[in-house]
Amino acid sequence: MRKAVDEGQGKGSCMDAVRIIAASRHGLAQARTVQDIVIEAWQAQALAEAVGSLLAISGPFEVRAKARRLGEAGGRSGAAVLCPVPRTYGPRAAQLSEVQDSKVALTDLCGLLAEVCEALVGVVCAAEEDGLYWTCVEAMDAADESRDRAAAILKQLLVRDRLHDHDPA
């Protein structure tokens, strides 16, 4: 599996969450149309769902319940209704094979979700169609909820590490 992670981002390859999050941040930064922004918002939500689900199964025991809730929150996004991800590539999240460093991945995921919310604000402000407006508002709510849940897991991991570092045993 390590070889698949190192070989890159091609279709069907597997990789670490940090690399996929970086690809999503790049995709969002390159998004120029409303459809591109909405697709990237959906990609980020799918990634939050995948990271949460993976951590719920194989992450540190004490964060598994919160990770499951992150996975559930990530699965809640109205953005896919108007602009589904092109089927030729599928969601980036499908390439996720591992979360090598939970703290880095969660920090980066929080950053991506914040950027998604900022990009969607621009779409909402310019929306001339009610359907697009409300879809983006729902997507912003979902991204914000996912970000809150990812931040809560990150906080719990940081507290755990501080307690572990100060434990004389």
Side-chain angles (χ1 to χ4, degrees), residues 134-151:
W134 287 111
T135 296
C136 289
V137 167
E138 288 176 19
M140 286 170 44
D141 287 345
D144 195 44
E145 179 183 354
S146 294
R147 186 181 65 203
D148 289 347
R149 292 186 185 276

Side-chain angles (χ1 to χ4, degrees), residues 7-149:
E7 285 179 356
Q9 302 180 36
K11 184 178 176 184
S13 69
C14 297
M15 68 178 85
D16 177 56
V18 173
R19 289 182 65 195
I20 298 172
I21 293 166
S24 290
R25 287 180 108 165
H26 179 75
L28 183 61
Q30 298 301 311
R32 297 293 176 246
T33 68
V34 168
Q35 182 175 2
D36 290 344
I37 292 169
V38 174
I39 287 171
E40 290 302 328
W42 185 82
Q43 288 273 12
Q45 279 298 108
L47 188 51
E49 179 181 16
V51 168
S53 297
L54 190 57
L55 288 175
I57 294 169
S58 61
F61 180 76
E62 59 272 16
V63 300
R64 288 184 181 181
K66 286 182 180 176
R68 186 172 29 261
R69 288 190 291 276
L70 170 60
E72 292 166 358
R76 185 180 75 81
S77 176
V81 175
L82 287 181
C83 300
V85 172
R87 290 188 177 148
T88 53
Y89 299 107
R92 289 183 196 104
Q95 299 174 8
L96 181 65
S97 60
E98 63 184 330
V99 179
Q100 290 179 355
D101 187 328
S102 300
K103 290 179 284 193
V104 172
L106 290 165
T107 299
D108 291 354
L109 182 60
C110 287
L112 170 62
L113 293 166
E115 292 167 11
V116 162
C117 286
E118 290 175 20
L120 288 171
V121 166
V123 174
V124 165
C125 290
E128 296 177 6
E129 174 186 313
D130 275 353
L132 177 62
Y133 175 88
W134 287 111
T135 296
C136 289
V137 167
E138 288 176 19
M140 286 170 44
D141 287 345
D144 195 44
E145 179 183 354
S146 294
R147 186 181 65 203
D148 289 347
R149 292 186 185 276

Side-chain angles (χ1 to χ4, degrees), residues 60 62 155-165:
E62 59 272 16
K155 182 179 178 181
Q156 188 171 355
L157 289 173
L158 293 172
V159 167
R160 178 199 67 174
D161 289 353
R162 270 189 295 229
L163 291 174
H164 184 266
D165 289 346

